[in-house]
Amino acid sequence: MSVARADVLAAVEVRVANVQLRRHMLACEAIMRALAERFDEDPDVWGLAGLAHDLDSEETEGDFARHGAEAAATLDAMGAPPEVVHAVAAHNPATGVAGETRLDVALTVADQLSGLVTAAALIRPDKELAGVQLKSLRKRYREGAFARGVDREAIARCSELGLELDETLALGLEAMQAIAPDLGL
Ligand SMILES: [Fe+2]
């Protein structure tokens, strides 16, 4: 691959000041890597899409149609694989780039799943991921009033990847638990 993870991470650290947002991107990276392994794709490539997808969030706050497009342009200039550039643009439908590939759909799933898993940890008294069980995550998914900002339909697009919801939730939970200290959870 022509772009190094360290360079993308450095770009994230320069352009994203919000620690929670950086952690969200690390969480997405971990989930994307796990999904890639599940489908025998390249975890380094899929991980990059997760790591970089909200790179431009702070700059495009008042202009949502640019969100994703700016990050995609940066990645393209850095020499990221075209499928990563496409997925990052497509993760925001407002860019007009349609999400159609497996990588595009996976990023949409990972983006929302990371939010659900984070919320499931934060509602615990210890606020730790270690104690979150698949059973409770499943329950949280079904509770529409819990973490309302999480788009359940986006997570349900795992079916387009040929994955059951349960397997998807378990995969996301395990991937994030494995880097819990980096996520502050
Ligand atoms: Fe995101």
Side-chain angles (χ1 to χ4, degrees), residues 15-182:
R15 288 170 61 175
V16 178
N18 184 310
V19 173
Q20 296 309 329
L21 182 55
R22 285 189 195 175
R23 287 173 172 169
H24 161 67
M25 292 158 84
L26 290 170
C28 282
E29 178 190 30
I31 297 174
M32 288 299 286
R33 291 188 66 90
L35 284 168
E37 275 162 23
R38 173 66 175 75
F39 297 121
D40 220 8
E41 297 281 352
D42 187 340
D44 291 336
V45 172
W46 282 38
L48 214 52
L51 178 64
H53 78 284
D54 281 337
L55 179 66
D56 62 16
S57 276
E58 293 179 356
E59 299 143 35
T60 59
E61 233 178 324
D63 188 1
F64 194 62
R66 280 174 51 228
H67 170 55
E70 297 279 320
T74 298
L75 286 167
D76 192 33
M78 291 176 84
E83 62 268 35
V84 171
V85 174
H86 189 271
V88 168
H91 98 274
N92 178 15
T95 59
V97 178
E100 48 212 4
T101 69
R102 290 169 72 76
L103 177 49
D104 297 344
V105 175
L107 184 56
T108 296
V109 171
D111 196 7
Q112 298 302 315
L113 180 54
S114 67
L116 182 72
V117 175
T118 299
L122 291 179
I123 201 167
R124 294 175 51 82
D126 61 14
K127 299 193 188 309
E128 285 184 6
L129 267 173
V132 178
Q133 307 286 327
L134 176 58
K135 204 175 84 180
S136 63
L137 191 61
R138 198 187 294 135
K139 191 162 155 270
R140 296 300 182 195
Y141 175 88
R142 294 200 189 111
E143 280 171 16
F146 175 77
R148 283 181 188 280
V150 172
D151 181 355
R152 268 67 171 180
E153 280 179 27
I155 297 176
R157 291 189 68 188
C158 64
S159 64
E160 294 173 37
L161 301 170
L163 285 184
E164 298 287 342
L165 180 65
D166 241 31
E167 184 182 0
T168 306
L169 295 177
L171 179 149
L173 178 59
E174 280 168 30
M176 286 178 61
Q177 282 173 335
I179 59 156
D182 295 337

